[in-house]
Amino acid sequence: MTVESLVENIRLGLDQVGNPVAVIEGDGNHETHHVKARSFRRIIINEGKSLGLIHSSKEIERIQDGVCDAAEASENELHVCLRVASIEGGVELDVGDKQQSRFRLTNGKVEVVKEGSTVLFYRPASMLAFVTPAENANLKLLFKYLNFEEDHAWLLIVWICFTLSTPRSSHASFPILVLIAEQGASKSTTCRLILRGLLDPSQMGIQGFPSNRQDIVLSANQAHFLIYDNLRYLSDKWSDILCIASTGGNDPTRRLYTDSEMVNHPFHVPLVLNGIHDFVEEPDLAQRCLRLELKSIPENKRRDEKEFTDEFNAELPEIFKGILALTASILDKLPTAKIIHPERMLGFVRYLAAAEEVMDMEAGKLQSVYSGILNDSQRDSVLSDPVALAVYKLVTEKGAKHEWSGTPTDLLDKLNNPMSLSGYRDRSFPTNPIALSKQLSALKAPLFSQNVEVVFTRGKERRITITNLEAY
């Protein structure tokens, strides 16, 4: 079998990252494969069998290489999506079934599209199909499986709708869902059964936290969202990496067998992190998180996991139809949604505003709850940072002046003074004025969220003014 005979009825090109892809255009919707993927390898094997040929591994690899060359020579640029794609007036979701079906969410309606879609979806080997939605939606059924206070349950549901309907793009930012609960509060079950089932069925399930950046980047391109279980601590380095995952970036690596050519792997993915302990300490990461606490489950109300799973799966078609219907309605209201409480993740706030309108809630209700969660998270971040805590105490503790001004050297002496109300010293505390200024500059935003303003000015010498805004 030659490369020419194989690709005679296949459209070839490169996706937006430069991966060679093959598009098979049949009677239904298009079927898209990465040429080097196992799914395309199976196409080569099956095509060979139809011709009475059994190819060796080396022959299959040779054919794949030839198709890659043909894809590059075609100069076709193809936009390939994973699970969700933007279309005019809404989005399309890849169902994941053998028929290449789509869910189309436009004009507040949900349609199943069996043919005629022009969207190209790539399917990782781990992807599973969504459950077939019921004819009638019943989102209320979901609440008995959610172990949250009502406002937090609604925030979770809207986060599900937002993540389900938001494709990865340079304009998208994904709030990182952080679930905190004591042991036995069903946080892992919520992630594995409810979130995975409603958002992106996949064999990837939930995972332990990766040991290096490359692992999370590779995983990010194999699922619509990732779940990491039982976190205890995040280093500054990992906090920075997760910030990039939330708002988008690239991970450049050297192409194999070359000296200098680099390949950019896109790194942009919705994340769910859970744990018993609060592990988000960096203020910059805290601003990108939606932190929800699960309630304790009394011993006499615990349920057998198999019974819980079977009951949820039985009602999942009605619940999933409810999620699809709510998502379609939110998308319809999104262009005119009014933001009352703007936050850093503005796209998600706009989504909350649209959801409030759809569900006939008081305008700003969910936005206010979200802002309160962010403010609490920022406060926790401030109080866990020795410099931020010392500066915060300097102007807020009882008996302290509401404003302090001086040079970085003065401030370092003040904070190191054991008689100072704010005196606080540990191994991570800066040991010189320059280091203190740099660290304090990075803490201006989280301190301001707690009504402590830090202003740097320059004259003959650099000065720092710290003000407790609540006192004025």
Side-chain angles (χ1 to χ4, degrees), residues 193-429:
L193 185 66
I194 299 174
L195 297 181
R196 181 57 75 189
L198 289 172
L199 267 175
D200 181 33
S202 170
Q203 293 173 350
M204 293 183 73
I206 58 178
Q207 308 169 62
F209 200 71
S211 58
N212 59 68
R213 173 171 173 151
Q214 186 178 27
D215 287 344
I216 191 173
V217 171
L218 293 176
S219 295
N221 290 287
Q222 297 301 311
H224 178 51
F225 82 113
L226 301 175
I227 306 172
Y228 291 113
D229 200 31
N230 287 323
L231 275 74
R232 288 179 173 269
Y233 166 76
L234 283 173
S235 66
D236 292 351
K237 176 183 175 181
W238 270 110
S239 294
D240 292 343
I241 291 172
L242 296 183
C243 285
I244 295 172
S246 170
T247 52
N250 290 286
D251 187 66
T253 56
R254 183 175 289 113
R255 190 185 294 274
L256 292 177
Y257 314 120
T258 67
D259 293 327
S260 59
E261 188 174 359
M262 301 296 289
V263 178
N264 269 326
H265 297 283
F267 183 37
H268 193 197
V269 64
L271 294 169
V272 178
L273 314 173
N274 75 52
I276 296 174
H277 311 280
D278 270 316
F279 47 81
V280 177
E281 297 182 354
E282 282 297 305
D284 199 34
L285 179 61
Q287 285 187 318
R288 290 170 165 86
C289 292
L290 170 60
R291 182 189 181 280
L292 301 178
E293 287 192 35
L294 286 84
K295 298 184 294 185
S296 299
I297 301 178
E299 289 293 334
N300 63 345
K301 292 193 175 181
R302 295 189 184 278
R303 297 182 59 185
D304 175 75
E305 186 171 354
K306 183 180 184 303
E307 176 188 307
F308 183 91
T309 300
D310 289 346
E311 183 178 333
F312 176 77
N313 285 334
E315 295 181 334
L316 180 57
E318 292 174 85
I319 294 171
F320 184 50
K321 181 60 179 288
I323 289 290
L324 290 176
L326 177 59
T327 303
S329 296
I330 292 173
L331 290 173
D332 192 44
K333 298 293 186 182
L334 203 57
T336 57
K338 295 181 180 179
I339 294 175
I340 297 175
H341 300 283
E343 297 291 348
R344 181 169 191 166
M345 309 300 277
L346 201 60
F348 180 62
V349 178
R350 188 179 299 280
Y351 216 89
L352 290 173
E356 291 164 352
E357 184 178 354
V358 168
M359 297 182 289
D360 292 325
M361 288 185 177
E362 178 186 350
K365 180 181 179 180
L366 293 180
Q367 297 175 62
S368 177
V369 176
Y370 176 56
S371 292
I373 290 172
L374 289 180
N375 188 64
D376 290 344
S377 298
Q378 285 289 82
R379 180 178 173 82
D380 291 343
S381 298
V382 167
L383 297 183
S384 66
D385 185 285
V387 172
L389 176 58
V391 170
Y392 180 80
K393 286 183 174 181
L394 180 64
V395 294
T396 61
E397 281 200 333
K398 186 176 180 180
K401 293 182 179 180
H402 299 312
E403 183 172 288
W404 182 95
S405 184
T407 67
T409 301
D410 295 336
L411 180 59
L412 185 63
D413 291 341
K414 179 70 173 177
L415 299 182
N416 282 329
N417 183 355
M419 299 301 293
S420 168
L421 286 169
S422 61
Y424 193 97
R425 184 72 178 264
D426 72 0
R427 292 179 182 178
S428 66
F429 208 85

Side-chain angles (χ1 to χ4, degrees), residues 77-302:
E77 294 183 5
L78 305 175
H79 186 75
V80 181
C81 303
L82 174 60
R83 193 61 101 172
V84 56
S86 291
I87 60 172
E88 186 176 353
V91 297
E92 276 191 13
L93 308 176
D94 184 4
V95 174
D97 60 358
K98 292 181 179 179
Q99 292 74 35
Q100 299 290 324
S101 305
R102 317 279 197 247
F103 293 133
R104 182 175 291 167
L105 279 54
T106 55
N107 301 318
K109 298 179 181 179
V110 181
E111 301 175 81
V112 179
V113 178
K114 297 287 188 180
E115 60 182 7
S117 171
T118 58
V119 177
L120 303 181
F121 282 114
Y122 162 64
R123 293 180 172 179
S126 57
M127 179 184 283
L128 300 175
F130 280 118
V131 69
T132 301
E135 187 69 27
N136 298 313
N138 192 345
L139 192 56
K140 290 181 180 179
L141 292 173
L142 180 57
F143 281 86
K144 64 182 176 182
Y145 302 104
L146 298 180
N147 186 31
F148 300 88
E149 298 293 344
E150 185 177 353
D151 285 345
H152 283 203
W154 276 118
L155 281 178
L156 177 65
I157 289 170
V158 177
W159 181 88
I160 290 171
C161 296
F162 175 83
T163 305
L164 182 68
S165 62
T166 304
R168 302 177 194 186
S169 74
S170 59
H171 307 295
S173 294
F174 298 106
I176 299 171
L177 180 62
V178 174
L179 301 180
I180 301 295
E182 63 185 40
Q183 187 176 357
S186 80
K187 59 185 181 299
S188 295
T189 301
T190 298
C191 290
R192 181 184 63 255
L193 185 66
I194 299 174
L195 297 181
R196 181 57 75 189
L198 289 172
L199 267 175
D200 181 33
S202 170
Q203 293 173 350
M204 293 183 73
I206 58 178
Q207 308 169 62
F209 200 71
S211 58
N212 59 68
R213 173 171 173 151
Q214 186 178 27
D215 287 344
I216 191 173
V217 171
L218 293 176
S219 295
N221 290 287
Q222 297 301 311
H224 178 51
F225 82 113
L226 301 175
I227 306 172
Y228 291 113
D229 200 31
N230 287 323
L231 275 74
R232 288 179 173 269
Y233 166 76
L234 283 173
S235 66
D236 292 351
K237 176 183 175 181
W238 270 110
S239 294
D240 292 343
I241 291 172
L242 296 183
C243 285
I244 295 172
S246 170
T247 52
N250 290 286
D251 187 66
T253 56
R254 183 175 289 113
R255 190 185 294 274
L256 292 177
Y257 314 120
T258 67
D259 293 327
S260 59
E261 188 174 359
M262 301 296 289
V263 178
N264 269 326
H265 297 283
F267 183 37
H268 193 197
V269 64
L271 294 169
V272 178
L273 314 173
N274 75 52
I276 296 174
H277 311 280
D278 270 316
F279 47 81
V280 177
E281 297 182 354
E282 282 297 305
D284 199 34
L285 179 61
Q287 285 187 318
R288 290 170 165 86
C289 292
L290 170 60
R291 182 189 181 280
L292 301 178
E293 287 192 35
L294 286 84
K295 298 184 294 185
S296 299
I297 301 178
E299 289 293 334
N300 63 345
K301 292 193 175 181
R302 295 189 184 278

